[in-house]
């Protein structure tokens, strides 16, 4: 079977494309506006043996009028089998809407999907994957549900099934040590005799999550935990760690075998932030006592935060024996929602720990300073989730090729 080609829009650091790389798809082009994320994309392309990352990674605003021309130069006449990507999600996220007086109604990012559709309708690949946050399902602009407008636009040349019951995937159900629900819309070109429902039927759950009813757990493995993902990493106190060290993983569970190759003896970006004394004590007490922040405030008023806006889940420990909560880009500002479960380390997650929770391989290099690395990780699609989607699409493309339909 031949290699299939993809274009990645709003590529970020390449979490979605990593899943397609792992299924041996070939990247023709990535479009990404953030220059540091583009450096990460180029570094990863080099890792996979590409000789043209400077040409294939386009650091540009996707709304530019000449975007198709720029893409054409990178694609260089090759067939495009699939387009993947998801517009930035701040305008659709409930957090973004809560922080904005106009509930993001005037945010131009609401309409970035139009650029995706423009490129999609130009190339008309066999399939597309459109990814976004679940906040997209409830976001409204001038009283209209934005999701209805997005689905209608995507449907011009494609069969699209929209039903939250099948479109929302939880990364924890696919071997990622994290509760992360995302909308995945898969489109099938109208001349292809495959229905969208068949695509979702091919995305097979492998693990149950903590919220799943018992009757749905049958035949599924237990969720991957924070312990499975990061317990083996060297212990660090605040401010400790080095950019790169020699390290041999135990690779003693299924997750570690997926994200770390047997011959890898390097550990990157496992460096702890410095924390002030009061925060370090909050972390130690919360993880040691197994307390929420509310319980900390009730039992240790001396550790109350001086900022009255800090409340509720502002400080959260990620417990050893559960999947982590959703990794977010806010990590670049502080890690208070990602407190390490080991009280003796009294700190927040390192870049490598966050990357493992997102299921990035240990040999994945994030370019830029730590703030940029955290942003890239928090905005990414977990590669193991992306790989399940890529595997399903590859099977369908193989079937079409075998039937001589493409």
């Amino acid at each position: 079977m031949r290699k299939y080609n993809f274009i990645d829009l709003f590529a970020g650091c390449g979490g979605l494309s990593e899943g397609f790389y792992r299924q041996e798809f070939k990247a023709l082009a990535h479009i990404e506006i953030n220059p540091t994320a583009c450096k990460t994309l180029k570094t990863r392309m080099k890792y996979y043996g590409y000789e043209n990352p400077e040409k294939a990674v386009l650091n540009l605003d996707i709304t530019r009028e000449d975007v198709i021309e720029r893409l054409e130069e990178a694609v260089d006449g090759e067939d495009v089998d699939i387009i993947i990507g998801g517009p930035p999600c701040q305008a659709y996220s409930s957090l973004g809407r809560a922080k904005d007086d106009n509930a993001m109604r005037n945010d131009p990012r609401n309409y970035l999907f139009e650029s995706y559709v423009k490129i999609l309708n130009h190339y008309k690949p066999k399939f597309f994957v459109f990814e976004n946050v679940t906040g997209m399902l409830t976001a409204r602009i001038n009283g209209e549900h934005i999701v209805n407008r997005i689905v209608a636009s995507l449907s011009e040349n494609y069969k699209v099934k929209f039903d939250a019951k099948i479109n929302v995937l939880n990364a924890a159900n696919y071997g990622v040590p994290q509760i992360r629900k995302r909308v995945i819309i898969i489109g099938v070109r109208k001349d292809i005799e495959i229905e969208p429902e068949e695509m979702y039927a091919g995305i097979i759950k492998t693990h149950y999550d903590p919220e799943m009813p018992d009757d749905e757990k049958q035949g599924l493995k237990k969720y991957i935990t924070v312990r499975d993902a990061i317990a083996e990493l060297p212990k660090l106190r605040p401010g400790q760690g080095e950019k790169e060290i020699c390290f041999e993983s135990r690779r003693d569970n299924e997750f570690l075998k997926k994200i770390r190759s047997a011959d890898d003896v390097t550990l990157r970006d496992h460096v702890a932030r410095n924390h002030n004394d009061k925060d370090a004590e909050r972390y130690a007490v919360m993880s040691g006592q197994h307390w929420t922040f509310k319980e900390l405030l009730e039992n240790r008023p001396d550790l109350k935060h001086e900022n009255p806006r800090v409340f509720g889940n502002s400080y959260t420990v990620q417990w050893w024996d559960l999947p982590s909560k959703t990794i977010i880009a806010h990590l670049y500002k502080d890690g208070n929602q990602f407190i390490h479960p080991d009280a003796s380390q009294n700190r927040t997650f390192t870049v490598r720990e966050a990357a493992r929770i997102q299921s990035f391989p240990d040999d994945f290099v994030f370019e830029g300073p730590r703030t940029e690395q955290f942003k890239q990780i928090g905005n990414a699609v977990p590669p193991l989730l992306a790989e399940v989607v890529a595997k399903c699409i590859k099977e369908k493309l193989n079937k079409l090729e075998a039937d001589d339909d493409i």
Side-chain angles (χ1 to χ4, degrees), residues 366-384:
F366 298 93
E367 299 289 359
R370 184 163 57 194
T371 52
E372 287 291 326
Q373 292 175 323
F374 275 130
K375 271 189 211 174
Q376 290 172 52
I377 293 166
N379 285 328
V381 176
L384 287 186

Side-chain angles (χ1 to χ4, degrees), residues 164-182:
K165 289 190 182 73
I166 64 169
N167 290 113
V168 176
L169 305 184
N170 184 351
N173 296 136
Y174 305 93
V176 178
Q178 179 188 180
I179 302 296
R180 189 183 192 91
K181 294 177 182 177
R182 286 296 183 267

Side-chain angles (χ1 to χ4, degrees), residues 188-288:
V188 182
R189 204 173 61 204
K190 286 180 177 176
D191 63 320
I192 293 174
E193 290 188 16
I194 293 174
E195 295 306 312
E197 291 87 342
E198 294 175 58
M199 307 301 294
Y200 292 97
I203 301 173
I204 312 293
K205 286 180 184 173
T206 50
H207 296 71
Y208 63 82
D209 61 77
E211 299 166 359
M212 191 176 275
D214 287 344
D215 60 334
E216 292 180 26
K217 291 180 181 177
Q218 213 156 0
L220 299 179
K221 293 180 272 193
K222 186 182 176 184
Y223 46 81
I224 307 295
T225 66
V226 170
R227 186 188 304 279
D228 295 328
I230 68 169
E232 67 157 7
L233 293 174
K235 290 191 173 191
L236 300 175
R237 300 294 303 280
Q240 291 183 343
E242 294 176 50
K243 180 80 176 161
E244 203 169 283
I245 61 167
C246 290
F247 174 75
E248 286 198 38
S249 169
R250 295 197 296 266
R251 297 181 78 248
D252 57 358
N253 63 52
E254 62 158 312
F255 176 75
L256 293 178
K257 285 173 183 161
K258 282 181 181 172
I259 65 147
R260 190 167 177 98
S261 57
D263 59 356
D264 192 352
V265 292
T266 305
L267 187 69
R268 300 164 186 83
D269 299 313
H270 186 47
V271 182
R273 277 181 159 118
N274 270 311
H275 300 296
N276 65 56
D277 292 344
K278 208 158 192 179
D279 267 347
E281 191 174 356
R282 288 182 184 112
Y283 304 154
V285 172
M286 286 176 69
S287 49

Side-chain angles (χ1 to χ4, degrees), residues 107-166:
D107 196 304
R109 289 172 297 188
N110 286 322
Y111 303 101
L112 283 173
F113 72 88
E114 293 171 351
S115 297
Y116 182 108
V117 172
K118 172 183 169 182
I119 294 166
L120 179 69
N121 288 338
H122 174 77
Y123 284 103
K124 297 189 181 69
K126 290 134 193 115
F127 302 104
F128 73 77
V129 176
F130 181 99
E131 176 272 340
N132 223 285
V133 292
T134 54
M136 185 183 99
L137 302 175
T138 53
R140 290 170 179 259
I141 300 173
N142 300 322
E144 179 193 8
H145 275 109
I146 188 72
V147 69
N148 294 338
R149 190 160 161 188
I150 291 171
V151 170
S153 297
L154 292 169
S155 300
E156 185 179 339
N157 295 301
Y158 290 83
K159 293 179 275 188
V160 178
K161 170 74 175 175
F162 188 73
D163 177 351
K165 289 190 182 73
I166 64 169

